[in-house]
């Protein structure tokens, strides 16, 4: 089939954009050499083939080892069957599949409207985001965890609530941070889904304790409380509240009282805004706010953990298509998250410029938590059709024509909202009982706690401009 002039222009634009993304990725930020995936592979290999503990393993020449809960090592057992290069290939495929599902949840309807061109441009722009490119380059699991959480959002919004909570439970068993979404399920008055999530997480943890009892005992009694196993709190890549306080206090220890007060303030704002979003059936907004809160409250939030900001960015861009000012704000935040700007203060984060610049991603996360346009009850509607059994029956011919406005429950986005290209996300079915339902032992000694070498580290001592 011959391409039209417009299609040829779009194809040339996509090729140029993809080339620019490839050049930027290969030259501006250093590749991470699959460092975290090498940690996973080496720890599992040492456990299965050499009889060691996953928590005793060190990447050769470094002080870095496995820091996740034991269940994460259990599900990574298939790595023992592969060499490192095969494990890297499998990791890439898993991250690509997770990214595809996340895009479907966050922007599926808009991407379908714009066809291959919209999808290609979105993928290129997504690849430029530092948290996304670092997740791929480190061989991290962040996108997989995000996909598991959003899977529950999808199940709940489409009336398949029987298995809702499984994704959140698995994500919490693999890495502790997603456990905050269980609290969101309780806020949404979904005790069954919350119970499922707790049950799955507990079962997975018990399975790991049965498979590797000594390692489990060590992790839950010692390692889980020792944040220094993961890295230095004041390291510039730590874009959490704790990281801000640690850089302010350096070289002293950050104040625990100050952190507790800041954490309570963030929790209060999150609960208040999440409840308002849920009351307006904006479950995507509630999930987005929860991801923001998780990044701020976690003791260590490396830059690649900030993929939890993707739902917020999707909402902001979607609303920006209707409100131009928001589009400019979204574009500025996106550019900052692509720029690696925090690394300009890699060596010295002192002074006012250091306080502002080295914590740029924290300020973005805080700003989104406070100002993200959520609670848009008739804008953020689900991109999936509910099952027939979950929708209200059509009125019979004998039914009265007039229905009280308070009883109507539209199940599809209005044509005007769809035409405006607004963000779409999981919605809440409030017809049943008035309930709302969401959709979905090493101490670092080197100065770069995320890697072992100049190439594998987050950045060299001379950060990029």
């Amino acid at each position: 089939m011959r391409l039209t002039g417009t299609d040829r222009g779009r194809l040339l634009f996509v090729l140029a954009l993809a080339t620019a993304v490839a050049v930027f990725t290969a030259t501006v930020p250093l590749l991470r050499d699959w460092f975290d995936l090498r940690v996973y592979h080496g720890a599992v290999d040492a456990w299965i083939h050499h009889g060691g503990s996953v928590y005793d393993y060190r990447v050769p020449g470094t002080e870095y080892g496995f820091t996740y809960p034991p269940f994460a090592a259990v599900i990574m057992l298939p790595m023992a069957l592969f060499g490192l290069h095969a494990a890297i290939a499998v990791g890439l495929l898993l991250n690509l599949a997770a990214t595809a599902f996340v895009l479907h949840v966050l922007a599926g309807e808009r991407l379908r409207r714009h066809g291959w061109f919209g999808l290609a441009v979105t993928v290129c722009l997504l690849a430029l985001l530092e948290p996304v490119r670092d997740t791929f380059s480190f061989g991290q699991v962040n996108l997989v965890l995000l996909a598991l959480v959003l899977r529950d959002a999808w199940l709940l919004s489409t009336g398949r609530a029987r298995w809702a909570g499984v994704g959140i439970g698995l994500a919490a068993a693999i890495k502790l941070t997603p456990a905050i979404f269980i609290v969101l399920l309780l806020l949404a008055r979904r005790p069954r889904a919350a119970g499922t999530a707790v049950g799955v997480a507990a079962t997975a943890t018990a399975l790991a304790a049965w498979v590797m009892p000594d390692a489990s005992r060590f992790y839950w009694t010692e390692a889980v409380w020792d944040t220094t196993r993961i890295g230095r709190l004041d390291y510039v890549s730590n874009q959490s509240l704790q990281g801000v306080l640690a850089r302010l206090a350096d070289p002293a220890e950050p104040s625990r009282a100050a952190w507790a007060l800041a954490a309570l303030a963030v929790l209060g704002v999150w609960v208040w805004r999440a409840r308002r979003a849920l009351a307006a059936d904006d479950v995507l907004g509630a999930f987005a706010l929860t991801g923001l809160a998780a990044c701020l409250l976690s003791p260590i939030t490396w830059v690649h953990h900030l993929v939890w900001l993707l739902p917020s960015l999707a909402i902001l861009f979607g609303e920006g298509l209707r409100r131009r000012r928001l589009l400019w704000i979204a574009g500025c935040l996106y550019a900052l998250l692509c720029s690696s700007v925090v690394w300009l203060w890699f060596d010295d984060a002192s002074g006012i410029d250091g306080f502002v610049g080295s914590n740029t991603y924290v300020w973005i996360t805080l700003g989104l938590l406070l100002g993200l346009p959520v609670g848009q009850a008739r804008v953020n509607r689900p991109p999936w059709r509910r099952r027939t059994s979950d929708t209200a029956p059509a009125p019979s011919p004998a039914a009265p024509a007039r229905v009280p406005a308070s009883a109507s429950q539209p199940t599809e986005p209005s044509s005007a909202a769809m035409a405006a290209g607004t963000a779409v996300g999981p919605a809440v079915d409030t017809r049943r009982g008035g309930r709302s339902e969401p959709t979905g032992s090493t101490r670092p000694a080197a100065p770069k706690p995320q890697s072992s070498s100049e190439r594998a580290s987050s950045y060299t001592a001379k950060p990029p401009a």
Side-chain angles (χ1 to χ4, degrees):
M1 183 176 68
R2 296 181 60 183
L3 293 176
T4 65
T6 301
D7 286 336
R8 282 195 296 270
R10 289 179 173 180
L11 180 59
L12 290 175
F13 176 81
V14 168
L15 291 175
L17 182 60
T19 301
V21 170
V23 171
F24 177 84
T25 304
T27 58
V28 177
L30 293 179
L31 296 177
R32 311 304 193 253
D33 201 24
W34 319 109
F35 184 81
D36 288 359
L37 192 141
R38 288 194 287 126
V39 171
Y40 310 152
H41 183 269
V44 170
D45 181 74
W47 171 32
I48 298 301
H49 298 299
H50 303 286
S53 168
V54 292
Y55 297 109
D56 290 335
Y57 172 78
R58 311 288 194 280
V59 174
T62 79
E63 289 296 319
Y64 308 114
F66 197 81
T67 59
Y68 291 174
F71 180 68
V74 172
I75 65 171
M76 292 177 183
L77 271 175
M79 282 189 178
L81 303 175
F82 306 129
L84 177 60
H85 292 93
I88 289 172
V90 172
L92 273 174
L93 290 175
L94 285 175
N95 271 328
L96 287 172
T99 302
F101 183 73
V102 169
L103 281 176
H104 166 69
V105 173
L106 299 180
E109 188 64 39
R110 293 195 300 275
L111 292 178
R112 281 191 289 273
R113 285 203 308 272
H114 295 288
W116 68 269
F117 178 71
L119 178 61
V121 171
T122 299
V123 169
C124 288
L125 295 178
L126 192 62
L128 286 177
L129 275 173
E130 185 177 5
V132 174
R133 66 179 190 250
D134 274 6
T135 290
F136 274 87
S137 190
F138 273 118
Q140 260 282 345
V141 298
N142 310 304
L143 285 166
V144 174
L145 299 181
L146 178 60
L148 284 173
V149 169
L150 290 180
R151 170 192 175 274
D152 280 350
W154 180 80
L155 288 174
L156 288 164
S157 69
T158 53
R160 300 172 174 86
R162 180 179 180 182
W163 298 106
V166 174
I168 291 174
L170 287 174
I174 295 169
K175 206 169 184 178
L176 298 179
T177 303
I180 192 174
F181 287 92
I182 299 176
V183 182
L184 177 63
L185 294 177
L186 294 174
L187 290 177
R189 299 179 182 178
R190 284 295 176 176
R192 176 175 177 175
T196 299
V198 171
V200 168
T203 301
T205 301
L207 173 64
W210 177 69
V211 173
M212 43 196 310
D214 292 337
S216 294
R217 187 180 306 109
F218 169 77
Y219 180 83
W220 293 111
T221 59
E222 296 185 37
V224 71
W225 312 108
D226 185 6
T227 59
T228 59
R229 286 177 47 83
I230 305 173
R232 294 193 337 261
L233 290 175
D234 65 322
Y235 186 50
V236 74
S237 183
N238 183 14
Q239 293 293 302
S240 68
L241 293 176
Q242 189 79 286
V244 174
L245 296 173
R247 284 185 285 276
L248 275 175
D250 185 52
E253 290 294 316
S255 168
R256 293 186 179 182
W259 179 83
L261 289 174
L264 284 174
V266 166
L267 277 173
V269 172
W270 167 62
V271 170
W272 169 59
R273 299 212 70 209
R275 287 175 66 91
R276 286 173 63 92
L278 291 168
D281 290 1
D282 184 8
V283 179
L284 177 61
F287 267 74
L289 292 170
T290 306
L292 298 172
C295 291
L296 291 168
L297 295 171
S298 176
I300 290 183
T301 298
W302 299 135
V303 169
H304 54 77
H305 295 161
L306 296 177
V307 295
W308 293 102
L309 271 61
L310 288 178
S312 298
L313 292 176
I315 290 174
L316 200 58
F317 272 107
E319 288 296 309
L321 295 177
R322 299 189 311 120
R323 301 154 62 184
R324 191 58 56 90
R325 182 175 61 87
L326 288 180
L327 189 60
W328 280 103
I329 293 174
C332 290
L333 297 185
Y334 168 80
L336 286 172
L337 287 168
C338 292
S339 68
S340 304
V341 64
V342 297
W343 298 100
L344 293 174
W345 289 270
F346 175 83
D347 292 316
D348 183 9
S350 61
I352 295 178
D353 66 316
F355 175 70
V356 174
S358 68
N359 301 308
T360 298
Y361 297 165
V362 180
W363 310 140
I364 290 175
T365 309
L366 273 172
L368 288 171
L369 181 66
L370 292 168
L372 187 69
V374 298
Q376 311 296 318
R378 296 303 172 238
V379 174
N380 294 331
R381 305 305 294 172
W384 316 285
R385 294 182 181 274
R386 292 190 180 94
R387 297 164 71 180
T388 304
S389 59
D390 289 333
T391 58
S396 64
R402 296 180 58 192
V403 179
S406 60
S408 63
Q409 294 289 341
T411 58
E412 293 295 328
S414 67
S415 58
M418 294 295 291
T422 53
V424 290
V428 176
D429 187 351
T430 58
R431 288 187 295 279
R432 290 173 290 182
R435 296 189 177 188
S436 59
E437 189 167 324
T439 60
S441 92
T442 69
R443 174 182 294 272
K448 308 179 187 64
Q450 283 184 295
S451 72
S452 61
S453 64
E454 290 300 311
R455 188 181 181 201
S457 66
S458 291
Y459 281 96
T460 61
K462 183 179 179 182

